[in-house]
Amino acid sequence: MAITGFTGNAQLDDATPPEQLGRYIPTAYPTAVMDAWCFALGGHDIITGTNVKSYPRLGSLAAAGLTQGTDASPTALSDSQRSITLAEHGVGVAYGDQLAITTVTAGGITAAQALMRRGYGDRVDSQLLTLNTSFTDTVGVSAAAMTEDRFLQAVHELEENDVPGPYFCVLNTTPVDQLRVAIGGASANTGPIFMRNDMISRIGPQLPNAYVFTLFQCDVFQSRNCPLNTSSADRVGGMYPQNPEYFPIRRLIGKFAEGPWAGQVWDGRYTEERDESGRLTELWLTGLWNTGLVALDFGVGMISGI
């Protein structure tokens, strides 16, 4: 049973115009910083009829000098393949009938729905940000602070991989604070641009809450969904290109081909089911999707102490 104003992106498909972004993300995923970027940069792929999609990537080519009258040999073109397989995700609440009588929170079901949206949004973003641990290049040292030098090293790694700027990064709250101290504390030596209204307005209204500053022309956002490193003593953020052609992250989402949900994308789908024997109503927010990298060298993992 759908609830008005709580639609997730069930109405979205691969033809959704970008101007709908501002209406879609704040409703379904109030905490999904990375998914907002993923959507805006073309990282959402919709599929039906299969549960897996492969992403081929062609190898590089190099030009060489030619001699008139001499046969030239062409280069055999090769590719590599990366694939993403769909998986189910969701959050459910058993809302007991007594809560409708005893709860001290006005609009108890509405409050539960808000918690579900936040939990689902955190799940989406955590699965996107966990890909930071899979990039070929990483910067930072375990149990050590994030510094401007390490930040600049991440920029350099992308430049060395021929990934064009501008860039943005998503970091955990601790490295964000460490960089704030470095650029705005008593011993600060850097003059970053602290606002980019042109960039904020074209991403979506929920992102100003996560945007913190721009450092060396790289827009910095914060999220507590950045994954733990293998040592469990660090968090791993990431730096990525804003260029859609080089954005390395994809979120593959399933779309119903038949049945009562035919034509709709299964992502943030809200339903209710009555359990009279338990005197409760089950509230569910579910999706069929998964995340993956299509290029391991088009982003950089950024390790820092918690």
Side-chain angles (χ1 to χ4, degrees):
M1 180 172 64
I3 289 184
T4 302
F6 187 71
T7 58
N9 68 345
Q11 279 68 52
L12 288 181
D13 57 23
D14 47 7
T16 300
E19 58 268 21
Q20 288 192 13
L21 179 65
R23 295 195 297 273
Y24 139 63
I25 290 180
T27 301
Y29 314 133
T31 60
V33 178
M34 194 62 193
D35 196 52
W37 276 105
C38 191
F39 180 83
L41 296 179
H44 279 195
D45 284 342
I46 312 299
I47 64 167
T48 190
T50 182
N51 70 335
V52 63
K53 181 175 180 178
S54 295
Y55 295 85
R57 181 184 177 187
L58 295 176
S60 61
L61 292 173
L66 302 176
T67 301
Q68 178 68 38
T70 302
D71 287 343
S73 300
T75 301
L77 196 59
S78 61
D79 70 341
S80 58
Q81 298 274 343
R82 297 190 63 81
S83 63
I84 302 175
T85 302
L86 294 174
E88 284 192 52
H89 307 263
V91 56
V93 172
Y95 196 87
D97 290 351
Q98 289 191 24
L99 289 175
I101 300 173
T102 62
T103 181
V104 296
T105 303
I109 287 184
T110 301
Q113 292 165 356
L115 290 173
M116 292 169 69
R117 289 196 298 271
R118 184 176 185 88
Y120 190 85
D122 283 339
R123 176 64 178 178
V124 172
D125 249 27
S126 66
Q127 294 301 294
L128 289 166
L129 290 169
T130 195
L131 300 172
N132 293 338
T133 62
S134 298
F135 286 122
T136 302
D137 297 313
T138 60
V139 302
V141 179
S142 178
M146 177 59 61
T147 65
E148 291 176 275
D149 287 343
R150 289 168 184 151
F151 190 94
L152 285 172
Q153 185 185 350
V155 174
H156 176 67
E157 294 291 348
L158 288 175
E159 293 172 338
E160 282 288 293
N161 292 338
D162 294 325
V163 179
Y167 309 123
F168 75 98
C169 73
V170 180
L171 300 173
N172 196 49
T173 52
T174 297
V176 164
D177 180 66
Q178 292 162 349
L179 287 172
R180 277 198 188 112
V181 172
I183 63 181
S187 59
N189 57 11
T190 304
I193 301 172
F194 279 91
M195 202 56 185
R196 282 279 301 279
N197 288 322
D198 60 326
M199 184 273 298
I200 294 297
S201 63
R202 63 186 168 83
I203 296 301
Q206 85 293 356
L207 284 186
N209 294 328
Y211 172 79
V212 285
F213 49 73
T214 296
L215 182 61
F216 304 113
Q217 298 183 323
C218 177
D219 299 311
V220 180
F221 295 79
Q222 67 178 355
S223 173
R224 289 181 56 81
N225 289 315
C226 290
L228 287 168
N229 198 15
T230 52
S231 66
S232 297
D234 315 295
R235 292 282 180 178
V236 185
M239 186 176 290
Y240 329 87
Q242 293 186 28
N243 188 324
E245 293 185 15
Y246 288 83
F247 187 64
I249 294 175
R250 295 291 183 272
R251 187 156 83 93
L252 188 66
I253 309 170
K255 181 177 180 179
F256 289 95
E258 60 183 8
W261 302 91
Q264 295 188 8
V265 174
W266 190 1
D267 185 26
R269 183 185 71 182
Y270 178 80
T271 56
E272 293 182 4
E273 182 178 356
R274 181 64 185 168
D275 180 0
E276 193 59 41
S277 64
R279 283 79 63 202
L280 56 86
T281 299
E282 292 187 4
L283 318 177
W284 284 98
L285 189 62
T286 59
L288 182 70
W289 48 268
N290 214 336
T291 63
L293 293 176
V294 297
L296 300 181
D297 55 344
F298 285 0
V300 178
M302 304 176 71
I303 300 172
S304 61
I306 296 175

